[in-house]
Amino acid sequence: MPEPADTGRRIKELRVSAGLTQHELAGAEMSASYISLVERGKRIPSGRALKILAERLGVGVTEISDGTEPAESPGRVRRLDLVGRLVAARRQWEGGDAEGALREFRALAGGEPSGPPDDVNTEAQLAIAEILGSLGRADEGAEVLLRMLDGLAPAAYAEARLRALIALADLLESAGRVQDGLRHALTGSLEAAAARAPGSAFHSVLVLDVLTRCAYWSGCAHWAPEPAEAGRPADGVLPGPRAGIALHRALDLWDRGEADRAAALLAETARRVTPAAGFRLWETVNGRHALVLLARGERAAARSIVERGLVVASVAQEADFPLWLTTAEAVCAEAAGDRERVAALGAQVAALPDTGRCHEKAAALSEIAAACARLGDRERAAGHFRYSADLFRRAQAYRHADRARERLTGLLEKRD
């Protein structure tokens, strides 16, 4: 009888060669931590567990339990080839050849299934949608995900379906279709809540992140539940999804007039999030935090955040424009009475493409418009408010559009 360490080592070798993570191998029936214990020889898998693991690894049970090397069956050879092509396509994409990677992922998605569950096909379709979104072809990406969802009926815990719902909601929000994204995020949230299965907690956080974003911009922030406190670390680095949830909760608190709670939550989020969570998220958190500090009269602290953030953006040579750090810089210039600098930064933000997250651009322009108004530059302020309201309408962020129009009306009434 083989030792537990031998069985665990063999499972790990097969998992790595198949290109699977511990979470993917665990599926709905087990947990990633259980797989980790098995691979380290700390747990002996039951007969049922061995059978499930063998099916997912594409081998026979004896090839795991007796330590013999698996015969290279045609099915296994083909699967390893597909996984290799999947990895190569992703490297091609990360290397900057999006169109070439798109062709390879489409070839992988259009092939015959490599076995149940067909994770290669799933990964390929998700990658296709993400690449199309990054190329400004969100409608095409959404069609890919909708077709994928048509073939995935709701189940107790269908990971592929939940990932597709999260990806679709995220893609639509990124493309400035926040209410369309909200519908799919709500569906994903309901299905994740009903699952209550091992391995579903990770995706529950991802779906709550996109739900919180879409709900905030749709003007329905109360539709997103607060994240569970259990298991949340009190300190340390804040993962991207958690930081995104905290950011949009803080923005909602600020909009509702709960300035102290919003400032405290933003300060904690800014302290714990790093650029590793994603540059766009990191600079949004810091830029928004600086704006809150400016509104509370803490100019020196806000200016320090902006200067440090812009240095990081410059040194890291990030491709993304630092929208919120630039907006906070404009409000810092307004506090210093530098009208020309505010006008120049406002023109820079207004010249950004309207594609992508146009609701973010609209919100930034509203902040700069208010700064122009405080300096007495009413014509420029009115232009930014009008543009902001139009962008909010395009993004389906109608309550934010109404607020921009109200600020424009108030400005015009003061002038008259």
Side-chain angles (χ1 to χ4, degrees):
M1 182 174 179
E3 294 294 324
D6 295 331
T7 299
R9 177 184 54 77
R10 189 72 190 126
I11 288 172
K12 182 176 181 179
E13 289 174 352
L14 291 165
R15 175 180 64 78
V16 171
S17 69
L20 297 174
T21 65
Q22 289 180 339
H23 177 75
E24 289 166 341
L25 179 59
E29 296 84 1
M30 299 170 229
S31 66
S33 60
Y34 174 76
I35 298 297
S36 176
L37 290 170
V38 168
E39 290 183 349
R40 288 184 288 132
K42 304 296 185 182
R43 289 288 185 277
I44 302 174
S46 66
R48 178 175 178 274
L50 275 176
K51 183 177 180 182
I52 293 171
L53 293 173
E55 288 176 355
R56 291 194 180 134
L57 293 167
V59 299
V61 172
T62 57
E63 292 168 2
I64 295 176
S65 60
D66 67 9
T68 59
E69 293 295 320
E72 292 296 331
S73 65
R76 177 169 171 75
V77 170
R78 179 175 175 276
R79 174 175 170 73
L80 291 175
D81 175 62
L82 290 174
V83 170
R85 287 172 59 191
L86 189 71
V87 172
R90 188 165 292 277
R91 287 177 179 164
Q92 190 175 7
W93 177 18
E94 292 170 351
D97 185 6
E99 290 292 349
L102 190 59
R103 288 192 294 272
E104 181 61 16
F105 279 126
R106 279 177 165 155
L108 287 165
E112 291 295 320
S114 62
D118 188 10
D119 52 322
V120 171
N121 186 276
T122 296
E123 295 297 336
Q125 291 189 79
L126 290 171
I128 290 167
E130 189 175 352
I131 293 175
L132 289 170
S134 71
L135 295 174
R137 296 155 63 183
D139 288 344
E140 292 178 56
E143 287 177 9
V144 170
L145 293 170
L146 287 168
R147 285 196 300 270
M148 182 178 173
L149 285 167
D150 285 342
L152 296 169
Y157 177 52
E159 181 178 315
R161 178 178 168 81
L162 189 53
R163 290 181 65 193
L165 285 166
I166 294 168
L168 181 55
D170 186 65
L171 178 66
L172 294 171
E173 187 268 333
S174 300
R177 293 167 55 184
V178 297
Q179 293 199 7
D180 292 337
L182 178 60
R183 288 196 294 273
H184 296 290
L186 282 168
T187 301
S189 178
L190 292 171
E191 293 189 10
R196 298 183 183 278
S200 63
F202 173 71
H203 291 98
S204 295
V205 174
L206 294 183
V207 78
L208 181 56
D209 176 27
V210 71
L211 173 59
T212 305
R213 271 186 278 137
C214 291
Y216 171 74
W217 290 113
S218 297
C220 308
H222 58 286
W223 288 13
E226 290 194 12
E229 297 292 334
R232 186 191 305 178
D235 212 334
V237 174
L238 196 63
R242 292 274 186 199
I245 294 166
L247 166 66
H248 290 89
R249 283 187 59 227
L251 296 179
D252 177 56
L253 289 169
W254 184 263
D255 289 349
R256 290 194 279 115
E258 298 187 45
D260 290 342
R261 289 182 63 197
L265 183 54
L266 265 177
E268 180 194 3
T269 306
R271 179 177 65 84
R272 294 176 57 192
V273 74
T274 70
F279 174 76
R280 187 187 62 79
L281 174 62
W282 175 83
E283 79 91 15
T284 300
V285 169
N286 281 275
R288 289 282 203 168
H289 183 213
L291 287 170
V292 166
L293 292 175
L294 285 163
R296 294 163 67 86
E298 301 178 44
R299 297 179 183 178
R303 192 177 300 111
S304 175
I305 290 172
V306 172
E307 290 173 354
R308 184 175 66 251
L310 291 173
V311 167
V312 171
S314 174
V315 171
Q317 296 183 328
E318 290 288 345
D320 290 341
F321 179 80
L323 175 64
W324 285 103
L325 288 170
T326 301
T327 303
E329 183 186 5
V331 181
C332 283
E334 175 260 320
D338 190 344
R339 182 167 172 163
E340 290 185 4
R341 183 62 176 161
V342 176
L345 292 171
Q348 198 174 0
V349 170
L352 293 173
D354 292 345
T355 54
R357 288 183 165 88
C358 55
H359 42 296
E360 294 274 3
K361 176 180 173 179
L365 279 175
S366 288
E367 296 289 344
I368 295 174
C372 291
R374 289 190 293 268
L375 287 171
D377 191 352
R378 293 185 176 179
E379 290 302 321
R380 186 170 276 108
H384 287 328
F385 276 133
R386 285 193 188 94
Y387 191 10
S388 174
D390 180 57
L391 288 174
F392 276 133
R393 281 196 301 273
R394 287 192 228 171
Q396 305 172 336
Y398 300 116
R399 290 191 186 179
H400 293 272
D402 289 343
R403 189 174 299 123
R405 281 194 296 268
E406 288 169 5
R407 297 173 81 175
L408 173 61
T409 300
L411 181 69
L412 295 176
E413 287 175 350
K414 283 182 181 179
R415 185 179 64 183
D416 294 339

